[in-house]
Amino acid sequence: KKDLGKILKIHFGGRGSSCKYIAFSDDGFEAIGMKPDFKIDKSNFEHSCWQDKIAKHFEKDCKVEKEKILRAKGRKKSIDVALETENGIIAIEVAMTSAYEKKNIIRDLEAGCIRVIVACKNEKVLEEVKEIIRGLNSEMQPKAKACLLTEIIKLSLKDI
């Protein structure tokens, strides 16, 4: 018996707001006659699902672009979800861990974003990101904010 895939459950906060997705293995893709173009692990898949959920939440208020490419000090910088407002770009970074968030915040601001919101998977990541923000310089610190992923999809554009 081949392992054709697995079911991934992602909780979006609140009662009854979790979704189940099928993630096919290489054998699973072969069984349905498709060639996989990327590997899915739960972390990357969950990250992508949250990007979609956040983008859909804000698209009624402004232009939204996932994986928007900007330049910061000559380097390309990809923003998980960019909200293009009349005042400038608000970057939303989806944080499954805090590992790269200091670099993300700094590069987003260096690339010209007016604000960076780090939406965190859980309380542990949230506290780590808040500590990172407290360690930023006095110019960057007020432009960065952290919240839970389940909270950002309850906020309006004016609240962030």
Side-chain angles (χ1 to χ4, degrees), residues 8-87:
L8 302 176
K9 186 176 181 181
I10 299 175
H11 183 68
F12 291 113
R15 192 170 155 210
S17 62
S18 55
C19 295
K20 291 181 182 178
Y21 301 89
I22 297 172
F24 291 107
S25 66
D26 288 345
D27 289 335
F29 276 109
E30 185 179 317
I32 62 171
M34 290 179 67
K35 185 176 181 180
D37 56 353
F38 59 90
K39 295 279 186 203
I40 293 177
D41 65 39
K42 185 165 182 355
S43 177
N44 288 340
F45 187 74
E46 188 172 9
H47 185 275
S48 179
C49 286
W50 276 108
Q51 281 179 286
D52 288 342
K53 187 114 174 138
I54 292 166
K56 283 185 176 86
H57 176 72
F58 288 105
E59 67 186 5
K60 66 188 175 302
D61 299 320
C62 63
K63 183 178 178 209
V64 176
E65 187 176 341
K66 294 182 295 181
E67 298 297 338
K68 181 171 181 69
I69 304 292
L70 296 177
R71 289 207 164 269
K73 295 191 173 182
R75 293 177 292 204
K76 286 184 180 178
K77 168 64 178 99
S78 174
I79 299 169
D80 286 337
V81 181
L83 308 180
E84 297 184 33
T85 71
E86 58 189 34
N87 298 322

Coordinates of all heavy atoms in Angstrom, one line a residue, residues 8-87:
L8 N -4.0 17.6 6.2 CA -3.5 18.7 7.0 C -4.7 19.5 7.5 O -5.5 19.9 6.8 CB -2.6 19.6 6.2 CG -1.4 18.9 5.6 CD1 -0.6 20.0 4.8 CD2 -0.5 18.3 6.6
K9 N -4.7 19.7 8.8 CA -5.8 20.5 9.4 C -5.2 21.8 9.9 O -4.2 21.8 10.7 CB -6.4 19.7 10.6 CG -7.6 20.4 11.2 CD -8.2 19.5 12.3 CE -9.4 20.2 12.9 NZ -10.0 19.4 14.0
I10 N -5.8 22.9 9.5 CA -5.3 24.2 9.9 C -6.4 25.0 10.6 O -7.6 25.1 10.1 CB -4.8 25.0 8.6 CG1 -3.7 24.3 8.0 CG2 -4.4 26.5 9.0 CD1 -3.2 24.9 6.7
H11 N -6.1 25.4 11.8 CA -7.1 26.1 12.6 C -7.0 27.6 12.4 O -5.9 28.2 12.6 CB -6.9 25.8 14.1 CG -7.9 26.4 15.0 ND1 -9.2 26.0 15.0 CD2 -7.8 27.4 15.9 CE1 -9.9 26.8 15.9 NE2 -9.0 27.6 16.4
F12 N -8.1 28.3 12.0 CA -8.0 29.7 11.7 C -8.6 30.6 12.8 O -8.9 31.7 12.6 CB -8.8 30.0 10.4 CG -8.1 29.5 9.1 CD1 -8.7 28.4 8.4 CD2 -6.9 30.0 8.7 CE1 -8.0 27.9 7.3 CE2 -6.3 29.5 7.6 CZ -6.8 28.5 6.9
G13 N -8.8 30.0 14.0 CA -9.2 30.7 15.1 C -10.8 30.7 15.2 O -11.4 30.7 14.2
G14 N -11.3 30.7 16.4 CA -12.7 30.7 16.6 C -13.3 29.3 16.5 O -12.6 28.4 16.1
R15 N -14.5 29.2 16.8 CA -15.2 28.0 16.9 C -15.6 27.5 15.4 O -16.2 28.3 14.7 CB -16.5 28.1 17.7 CG -17.1 26.8 18.0 CD -18.2 27.0 19.1 NE -19.1 26.0 18.9 CZ -20.4 26.0 19.2 NH1 -20.9 27.2 19.6 NH2 -21.2 25.0 19.0
G16 N -15.2 26.3 15.1 CA -15.6 25.8 13.8 C -14.9 26.4 12.6 O -15.3 26.3 11.5
S17 N -13.7 27.0 12.9 CA -13.0 27.6 11.8 C -11.7 26.9 11.4 O -10.7 27.6 11.2 CB -12.8 29.1 12.0 OG -12.0 29.2 13.2
S18 N -11.7 25.6 11.4 CA -10.6 24.9 10.9 C -10.9 24.2 9.6 O -12.1 23.9 9.3 CB -10.1 23.9 11.9 OG -11.1 23.0 12.3
C19 N -9.9 24.1 8.8 CA -10.1 23.5 7.4 C -9.2 22.3 7.3 O -8.1 22.3 7.9 CB -9.8 24.5 6.3 SG -11.0 25.9 6.3
K20 N -9.6 21.3 6.5 CA -8.8 20.2 6.2 C -8.4 20.3 4.8 O -9.2 20.6 3.9 CB -9.5 18.9 6.5 CG -9.7 18.7 8.0 CD -10.4 17.4 8.3 CE -10.7 17.2 9.8 NZ -11.4 16.0 10.0
Y21 N -7.2 20.0 4.5 CA -6.6 20.0 3.1 C -5.9 18.7 2.9 O -5.3 18.1 3.8 CB -5.6 21.1 2.9 CG -6.2 22.5 3.2 CD1 -6.2 23.1 4.5 CD2 -6.8 23.2 2.1 CE1 -6.7 24.3 4.7 CE2 -7.3 24.5 2.4 CZ -7.3 25.0 3.6 OH -7.8 26.2 3.9
I22 N -5.9 18.2 1.6 CA -5.2 17.0 1.3 C -3.8 17.5 0.7 O -3.8 18.3 -0.3 CB -6.0 16.2 0.2 CG1 -7.3 15.7 0.8 CG2 -5.1 15.0 -0.2 CD1 -8.2 15.0 -0.2
A23 N -2.8 16.9 1.2 CA -1.4 17.2 0.7 C -1.0 15.8 0.1 O -0.8 14.9 0.8 CB -0.5 17.6 1.8
F24 N -0.8 15.8 -1.2 CA -0.4 14.6 -1.9 C 1.1 14.4 -1.8 O 1.9 15.3 -1.9 CB -0.7 14.6 -3.4 CG -2.2 14.6 -3.7 CD1 -2.9 15.7 -4.1 CD2 -2.9 13.4 -3.6 CE1 -4.2 15.7 -4.4 CE2 -4.3 13.4 -3.8 CZ -4.9 14.5 -4.2
S25 N 1.5 13.1 -1.6 CA 2.9 12.7 -1.7 C 3.3 12.6 -3.2 O 2.4 12.7 -4.1 CB 3.1 11.4 -1.0 OG 2.4 10.4 -1.7
D26 N 4.5 12.3 -3.5 CA 4.9 12.1 -4.9 C 4.1 10.9 -5.5 O 3.6 11.0 -6.6 CB 6.4 11.8 -5.0 CG 7.3 13.0 -4.8 OD1 6.7 14.2 -4.8 OD2 8.5 12.9 -4.5
D27 N 3.9 9.9 -4.7 CA 3.1 8.7 -5.2 C 1.6 9.2 -5.4 O 1.0 8.7 -6.3 CB 3.2 7.6 -4.2 CG 4.5 6.9 -4.2 OD1 5.2 6.9 -5.2 OD2 4.8 6.3 -3.1
G28 N 1.1 10.0 -4.6 CA -0.2 10.5 -4.7 C -0.4 11.3 -6.0 O -1.4 11.2 -6.7
F29 N 0.6 12.2 -6.3 CA 0.5 13.0 -7.5 C 0.6 12.0 -8.7 O -0.1 12.2 -9.7 CB 1.7 14.0 -7.6 CG 1.4 15.3 -6.9 CD1 2.0 15.6 -5.7 CD2 0.5 16.2 -7.5 CE1 1.8 16.8 -5.1 CE2 0.2 17.4 -6.8 CZ 0.8 17.7 -5.6
E30 N 1.5 11.0 -8.6 CA 1.6 10.1 -9.7 C 0.3 9.3 -9.9 O -0.2 9.1 -11.1 CB 2.7 9.1 -9.4 CG 3.0 8.1 -10.6 CD 4.1 7.1 -10.2 OE1 5.1 7.6 -9.6 OE2 4.0 6.0 -10.5
A31 N -0.4 9.0 -8.8 CA -1.7 8.2 -8.9 C -2.8 9.0 -9.6 O -3.6 8.4 -10.3 CB -2.1 7.8 -7.5
I32 N -2.7 10.3 -9.5 CA -3.8 11.1 -10.2 C -3.3 11.7 -11.5 O -3.9 12.6 -12.1 CB -4.3 12.3 -9.2 CG1 -3.2 13.3 -8.8 CG2 -5.0 11.7 -8.0 CD1 -3.7 14.5 -8.1
G33 N -2.1 11.3 -11.9 CA -1.5 11.7 -13.2 C -1.0 13.1 -13.3 O -1.0 13.8 -14.3
M34 N -0.5 13.7 -12.1 CA 0.0 15.0 -12.1 C 1.5 15.0 -11.6 O 1.8 14.1 -10.9 CB -0.8 15.9 -11.2 CG -2.2 16.3 -11.7 SD -3.0 17.3 -10.5 CE -2.1 18.8 -10.6
K35 N 2.2 15.9 -12.1 CA 3.6 16.0 -11.6 C 3.7 17.1 -10.6 O 3.2 18.2 -10.8 CB 4.5 16.4 -12.8 CG 6.0 16.4 -12.4 CD 6.8 16.7 -13.7 CE 8.3 16.7 -13.2 NZ 9.2 16.9 -14.3
P36 N 4.2 16.8 -9.4 CA 4.3 17.8 -8.3 C 5.3 18.9 -8.7 O 6.4 18.6 -9.3 CB 4.8 17.0 -7.1 CG 5.5 15.8 -7.7 CD 4.8 15.5 -9.0
D37 N 4.9 20.2 -8.5 CA 5.9 21.2 -8.9 C 6.5 21.8 -7.6 O 7.3 22.7 -7.7 CB 5.2 22.3 -9.7 CG 3.9 22.9 -9.0 OD1 3.5 22.4 -8.0 OD2 3.4 23.9 -9.6
F38 N 6.1 21.3 -6.5 CA 6.7 21.8 -5.2 C 6.4 20.7 -4.1 O 5.5 19.9 -4.3 CB 6.2 23.1 -4.8 CG 4.8 23.2 -4.5 CD1 4.2 22.9 -3.3 CD2 3.9 23.5 -5.6 CE1 2.8 23.0 -3.1 CE2 2.5 23.6 -5.4 CZ 2.0 23.3 -4.1
K39 N 7.2 20.7 -3.1 CA 7.0 19.8 -2.0 C 6.2 20.6 -0.9 O 6.4 21.7 -0.6 CB 8.4 19.5 -1.3 CG 9.3 18.7 -2.2 CD 8.9 17.2 -2.2 CE 9.9 16.4 -3.0 NZ 9.3 15.2 -3.5
I40 N 5.2 19.9 -0.4 CA 4.4 20.5 0.7 C 4.8 19.8 2.0 O 4.8 18.6 2.2 CB 2.9 20.2 0.4 CG1 2.5 20.9 -0.9 CG2 2.1 20.6 1.6 CD1 1.0 20.7 -1.2
D41 N 5.1 20.7 2.9 CA 5.2 20.3 4.3 C 4.2 21.1 5.1 O 3.7 22.2 4.6 CB 6.6 20.3 4.9 CG 7.2 21.7 5.0 OD1 6.4 22.6 5.4 OD2 8.4 21.9 4.8
K42 N 3.8 20.7 6.2 CA 2.7 21.4 6.9 C 3.0 22.9 7.2 O 2.2 23.7 7.0 CB 2.4 20.7 8.3 CG 1.2 21.4 8.9 CD 0.6 20.5 10.0 CE -0.6 20.9 10.7 NZ -1.3 22.1 10.7
S43 N 4.3 23.2 7.5 CA 4.6 24.6 7.8 C 4.5 25.5 6.6 O 3.8 26.5 6.7 CB 6.1 24.6 8.3 OG 6.4 26.0 8.5
N44 N 5.0 25.1 5.5 CA 4.9 25.9 4.2 C 3.5 26.0 3.8 O 3.0 27.0 3.3 CB 5.8 25.3 3.1 CG 7.2 25.5 3.3 OD1 7.6 26.4 4.1 ND2 8.0 24.7 2.7
F45 N 2.7 24.9 3.9 CA 1.3 24.8 3.4 C 0.5 25.7 4.3 O -0.3 26.5 3.8 CB 0.8 23.4 3.5 CG -0.6 23.3 2.9 CD1 -0.8 23.4 1.5 CD2 -1.7 23.1 3.7 CE1 -2.0 23.3 1.0 CE2 -2.9 23.0 3.1 CZ -3.1 23.1 1.8
E46 N 0.7 25.7 5.6 CA 0.0 26.5 6.6 C 0.3 28.0 6.3 O -0.6 28.8 6.3 CB 0.3 26.1 8.0 CG -0.5 26.8 9.0 CD -0.3 26.2 10.4 OE1 0.6 25.4 10.7 OE2 -1.1 26.6 11.3
H47 N 1.6 28.3 6.1 CA 2.0 29.6 5.7 C 1.2 30.2 4.5 O 0.7 31.3 4.5 CB 3.5 29.6 5.5 CG 4.1 31.0 5.3 ND1 4.1 31.6 4.1 CD2 4.7 31.8 6.1 CE1 4.7 32.8 4.2 NE2 5.1 32.9 5.4
S48 N 1.2 29.4 3.5 CA 0.5 29.7 2.3 C -1.0 29.9 2.5 O -1.6 30.9 2.0 CB 0.7 28.7 1.2 OG 0.1 29.0 0.0
C49 N -1.6 29.1 3.3 CA -3.1 29.2 3.6 C -3.3 30.5 4.3 O -4.3 31.2 4.0 CB -3.5 28.0 4.4 SG -3.7 26.5 3.5
W50 N -2.5 30.8 5.3 CA -2.7 32.1 6.0 C -2.5 33.3 5.1 O -3.2 34.3 5.2 CB -1.7 32.2 7.2 CG -2.3 31.5 8.4 CD1 -1.9 30.3 8.9 CD2 -3.4 31.9 9.2 NE1 -2.7 30.0 10.0 CE2 -3.6 31.0 10.2 CE3 -4.3 33.0 9.1 CZ2 -4.7 31.1 11.1 CZ3 -5.3 33.2 10.1 CH2 -5.5 32.2 11.1
Q51 N -1.5 33.2 4.2 CA -1.3 34.3 3.2 C -2.6 34.5 2.4 O -3.1 35.7 2.2 CB -0.2 34.0 2.2 CG 1.2 34.2 2.8 CD 2.2 33.9 1.7 OE1 2.5 32.7 1.4 NE2 2.8 34.9 1.1
D52 N -3.2 33.5 1.9 CA -4.5 33.5 1.2 C -5.6 34.1 2.0 O -6.3 35.0 1.6 CB -4.9 32.2 0.7 CG -4.0 31.6 -0.4 OD1 -3.3 32.4 -1.1 OD2 -4.1 30.4 -0.7
K53 N -5.7 33.7 3.2 CA -6.8 34.1 4.1 C -6.6 35.6 4.4 O -7.6 36.4 4.4 CB -6.7 33.3 5.4 CG -7.9 33.6 6.4 CD -8.7 32.3 6.5 CE -9.8 32.5 7.5 NZ -11.0 32.0 7.1
I54 N -5.4 36.1 4.7 CA -5.1 37.5 5.0 C -5.4 38.3 3.8 O -6.0 39.4 3.9 CB -3.7 37.7 5.5 CG1 -3.6 37.0 6.9 CG2 -3.3 39.2 5.6 CD1 -2.1 36.8 7.4
A55 N -4.9 37.9 2.6 CA -5.1 38.6 1.4 C -6.6 38.8 1.1 O -7.1 39.9 0.8 CB -4.4 37.9 0.2
K56 N -7.4 37.8 1.2 CA -8.8 37.8 1.0 C -9.5 38.8 2.0 O -10.4 39.5 1.6 CB -9.4 36.4 1.0 CG -9.2 35.6 -0.2 CD -9.9 34.3 -0.1 CE -9.7 33.5 -1.4 NZ -8.6 32.7 -1.5
H57 N -9.0 38.8 3.2 CA -9.6 39.6 4.3 C -9.5 41.1 3.9 O -10.4 41.9 4.1 CB -9.0 39.3 5.6 CG -9.5 40.2 6.7 ND1 -10.7 40.1 7.3 CD2 -8.9 41.2 7.4 CE1 -10.9 41.0 8.2 NE2 -9.8 41.7 8.3
F58 N -8.3 41.5 3.4 CA -8.1 42.9 3.1 C -8.4 43.4 1.7 O -8.3 44.6 1.4 CB -6.6 43.3 3.5 CG -6.4 43.3 5.0 CD1 -5.7 42.3 5.6 CD2 -6.9 44.3 5.8 CE1 -5.5 42.3 7.0 CE2 -6.7 44.3 7.2 CZ -6.0 43.3 7.8
E59 N -8.7 42.5 0.8 CA -8.8 42.9 -0.6 C -10.0 43.8 -0.9 O -10.0 44.5 -1.9 CB -8.8 41.7 -1.5 CG -10.0 40.8 -1.4 CD -9.9 39.5 -2.3 OE1 -8.9 39.3 -2.9 OE2 -10.9 38.8 -2.3
K60 N -10.9 43.9 0.0 CA -12.1 44.8 -0.2 C -11.7 46.2 0.2 O -12.3 47.2 -0.2 CB -13.3 44.3 0.7 CG -13.0 44.4 2.2 CD -14.2 43.8 3.0 CE -13.9 43.7 4.4 NZ -12.7 43.0 4.9
D61 N -10.6 46.4 0.9 CA -10.2 47.7 1.4 C -9.0 48.4 0.6 O -8.9 49.6 0.7 CB -9.7 47.7 2.9 CG -10.8 47.2 3.8 OD1 -12.0 47.6 3.6 OD2 -10.6 46.4 4.7
C62 N -8.2 47.6 -0.1 CA -7.1 48.1 -0.8 C -6.6 47.1 -1.8 O -7.0 45.9 -1.8 CB -6.0 48.5 0.2 SG -5.3 47.1 1.1
K63 N -5.6 47.5 -2.6 CA -4.9 46.5 -3.5 C -4.0 45.6 -2.6 O -3.3 46.1 -1.8 CB -4.1 47.2 -4.5 CG -3.5 46.3 -5.5 CD -2.7 47.0 -6.6 CE -2.1 46.0 -7.5 NZ -0.9 46.5 -8.1
V64 N -4.1 44.3 -2.9 CA -3.4 43.3 -2.1 C -2.5 42.5 -3.0 O -3.0 42.1 -4.1 CB -4.3 42.4 -1.3 CG1 -3.6 41.3 -0.5 CG2 -5.2 43.2 -0.3
E65 N -1.3 42.3 -2.6 CA -0.4 41.4 -3.4 C 0.3 40.5 -2.5 O 1.0 40.9 -1.6 CB 0.5 42.2 -4.3 CG 1.3 41.4 -5.3 CD 2.2 42.3 -6.2 OE1 2.0 43.5 -6.3 OE2 3.2 41.8 -6.7
K66 N 0.2 39.2 -2.8 CA 1.0 38.2 -2.1 C 2.4 38.1 -2.8 O 2.5 38.1 -4.0 CB 0.3 36.8 -2.1 CG -1.0 36.8 -1.3 CD -1.6 35.4 -1.3 CE -2.0 35.0 -2.7 NZ -2.6 33.7 -2.8
E67 N 3.4 37.9 -1.9 CA 4.8 37.7 -2.4 C 5.3 38.9 -3.2 O 5.9 38.7 -4.3 CB 5.0 36.4 -3.1 CG 4.7 35.2 -2.3 CD 5.7 35.0 -1.1 OE1 6.8 35.6 -1.1 OE2 5.3 34.3 -0.1
K68 N 4.9 40.1 -2.9 CA 5.3 41.3 -3.6 C 6.8 41.5 -3.4 O 7.3 41.4 -2.4 CB 4.6 42.5 -3.1 CG 4.9 43.8 -3.8 CD 4.1 45.0 -3.4 CE 4.4 46.2 -4.2 NZ 4.1 46.1 -5.6
I69 N 7.5 41.7 -4.6 CA 8.9 41.9 -4.6 C 9.2 43.4 -4.5 O 8.8 44.2 -5.3 CB 9.5 41.3 -5.9 CG1 9.2 39.8 -6.0 CG2 11.1 41.5 -5.9 CD1 9.8 38.9 -4.9
L70 N 10.0 43.8 -3.6 CA 10.6 45.1 -3.4 C 12.1 45.0 -3.4 O 12.7 44.0 -3.2 CB 10.1 45.8 -2.2 CG 8.5 46.1 -2.1 CD1 8.2 46.7 -0.7 CD2 8.1 47.0 -3.2
R71 N 12.8 46.2 -3.5 CA 14.2 46.2 -3.4 C 14.6 46.9 -2.1 O 14.1 48.0 -1.8 CB 14.9 46.9 -4.5 CG 14.8 46.1 -5.8 CD 15.9 46.4 -6.7 NE 16.1 45.4 -7.8 CZ 16.8 44.3 -7.6 NH1 17.5 44.1 -6.6 NH2 16.9 43.5 -8.6
A72 N 15.5 46.3 -1.3 CA 16.0 46.9 -0.1 C 17.5 46.8 -0.2 O 18.1 45.8 -0.2 CB 15.5 46.2 1.1
K73 N 18.2 48.0 -0.3 CA 19.6 48.1 -0.4 C 20.2 47.2 -1.5 O 21.1 46.4 -1.2 CB 20.3 47.8 1.0 CG 19.9 48.9 2.0 CD 20.7 48.7 3.3 CE 20.4 49.9 4.2 NZ 21.2 49.9 5.4
G74 N 19.6 47.2 -2.6 CA 20.1 46.5 -3.8 C 19.7 45.0 -3.8 O 20.0 44.3 -4.7
R75 N 19.0 44.5 -2.8 CA 18.6 43.1 -2.7 C 17.1 43.1 -2.9 O 16.3 43.9 -2.5 CB 18.9 42.5 -1.3 CG 20.4 42.4 -1.1 CD 20.6 41.8 0.3 NE 20.2 42.9 1.3 CZ 20.6 43.0 2.5 NH1 21.4 42.1 3.0 NH2 20.1 43.9 3.3
K76 N 16.6 42.0 -3.5 CA 15.2 41.7 -3.6 C 14.6 41.3 -2.3 O 15.3 40.5 -1.6 CB 14.9 40.6 -4.7 CG 15.1 41.1 -6.1 CD 14.7 40.0 -7.1 CE 14.9 40.4 -8.5 NZ 14.6 39.4 -9.4
K77 N 13.4 41.8 -2.0 CA 12.8 41.4 -0.7 C 11.3 41.1 -1.1 O 10.6 41.8 -1.7 CB 12.8 42.6 0.2 CG 11.9 42.5 1.4 CD 12.3 41.4 2.3 CE 11.4 41.2 3.6 NZ 10.4 40.3 3.5
S78 N 10.9 39.9 -0.7 CA 9.6 39.4 -0.9 C 8.7 39.6 0.4 O 9.1 39.2 1.5 CB 9.6 38.0 -1.3 OG 8.3 37.4 -1.4
I79 N 7.6 40.3 0.2 CA 6.7 40.5 1.4 C 5.6 39.5 1.3 O 5.0 39.3 0.2 CB 6.0 41.9 1.3 CG1 7.1 43.0 1.3 CG2 5.0 42.1 2.4 CD1 6.6 44.4 1.0
D80 N 5.3 38.8 2.4 CA 4.2 37.8 2.4 C 2.9 38.3 1.8 O 2.3 37.7 0.9 CB 4.0 37.2 3.7 CG 5.2 36.2 4.2 OD1 5.9 35.7 3.3 OD2 5.3 36.0 5.4
V81 N 2.4 39.4 2.4 CA 1.2 40.0 1.9 C 1.4 41.5 2.0 O 1.7 42.1 3.0 CB -0.1 39.7 2.8 CG1 -1.3 40.3 2.2 CG2 -0.3 38.2 2.9
A82 N 1.3 42.2 0.8 CA 1.5 43.7 0.8 C 0.1 44.3 0.6 O -0.7 43.9 -0.3 CB 2.4 44.0 -0.4
L83 N -0.2 45.3 1.5 CA -1.4 46.1 1.4 C -1.0 47.4 0.8 O -0.3 48.2 1.4 CB -2.0 46.2 2.7 CG -2.3 45.0 3.5 CD1 -2.9 45.3 4.9 CD2 -3.1 44.0 2.8
E84 N -1.4 47.7 -0.4 CA -1.1 49.0 -1.1 C -2.2 50.0 -0.8 O -3.3 50.0 -1.3 CB -0.9 48.8 -2.6 CG 0.3 47.8 -2.8 CD 0.6 47.6 -4.3 OE1 0.4 48.6 -5.1 OE2 1.0 46.5 -4.6
T85 N -1.8 50.9 0.1 CA -2.8 52.0 0.6 C -2.4 53.3 -0.1 O -1.3 53.4 -0.7 CB -2.8 52.1 2.1 OG1 -1.6 52.7 2.5 CG2 -2.9 50.8 2.8
E86 N -3.3 54.3 0.1 CA -3.0 55.6 -0.4 C -1.7 56.3 0.2 O -1.1 57.1 -0.3 CB -4.2 56.5 -0.3 CG -4.7 56.7 1.1 CD -6.0 57.4 1.1 OE1 -6.8 57.3 0.2 OE2 -6.2 58.2 2.1
N87 N -1.4 55.8 1.4 CA -0.3 56.3 2.2 C 1.0 55.6 1.9 O 2.1 56.0 2.3 CB -0.6 56.4 3.7 CG -1.7 57.3 4.0 OD1 -1.9 58.3 3.4 ND2 -2.5 56.9 4.9

